[in-house]
Amino acid sequence: MALNKDYEDSAGIIISYWNIPRIEIKKLDDYVRIFVYGYINADTRNSGKTNATERIFIINNDEGLMDKYFSAEQMDFYNENIYELGYRYLKENETMFEDAIDIIE
């Protein structure tokens, strides 16, 4: 899975393919880090090219977001794996991914 959403970076390059390669859950420290790689498009990523940008989103549990998206109960409830929940979190909580389109691979 990935997300399609055009975003112009600081160099003026349009990045439209977003992939989560890693999610770190730090239960004892009460936070989650979602690593997101941005590519110009799906063909660029699929051809083995390097990502054009990387973003890291940190979710603290101050407002219960960690529990809301990244608990075992949520995986069972939505019948989704941790990465699918990560994409759900991004679309529902990060302005950058508002109206992003799911890419099912």
Side-chain angles (χ1 to χ4, degrees):
M1 184 170 179
L3 295 176
N4 182 302
K5 172 73 184 237
D6 286 352
Y7 178 82
E8 186 174 348
D9 74 2
S10 59
I13 298 170
I14 303 296
I15 309 295
S16 39
Y17 182 92
W18 301 92
N19 174 264
I20 298 174
R22 183 172 85 214
I23 295 176
E24 293 179 355
I25 299 175
K26 301 289 188 172
K27 187 71 172 162
L28 294 176
D29 297 324
D30 243 7
Y31 74 89
V32 173
R33 286 193 298 196
I34 302 174
F35 295 79
V36 182
Y37 288 177
Y39 298 85
I40 293 172
N41 56 40
D43 291 339
T44 303
R45 185 211 182 238
N46 294 335
S47 68
K49 300 278 194 293
T50 304
N51 54 299
T53 190
E54 178 180 345
R55 305 283 175 148
I56 300 171
F57 296 88
I58 299 173
I59 300 96
N60 294 313
N61 207 27
D62 298 342
E63 298 175 16
L65 288 175
M66 182 178 161
D67 292 336
K68 179 179 178 183
Y69 287 92
F70 299 101
S71 67
E73 292 80 16
Q74 291 301 342
M75 281 193 268
D76 289 343
F77 179 77
Y78 287 109
N79 195 28
E80 293 179 332
N81 67 44
I82 198 71
Y83 291 96
E84 292 167 322
L85 292 172
Y87 289 113
R88 177 188 298 278
Y89 169 83
L90 292 173
K91 292 189 316 182
E92 293 178 0
N93 295 280
E94 299 295 337
T95 307
M96 179 179 175
F97 293 106
E98 189 174 295
D99 301 323
I101 298 169
D102 291 337
I103 299 173
I104 307 300
E105 302 173 304

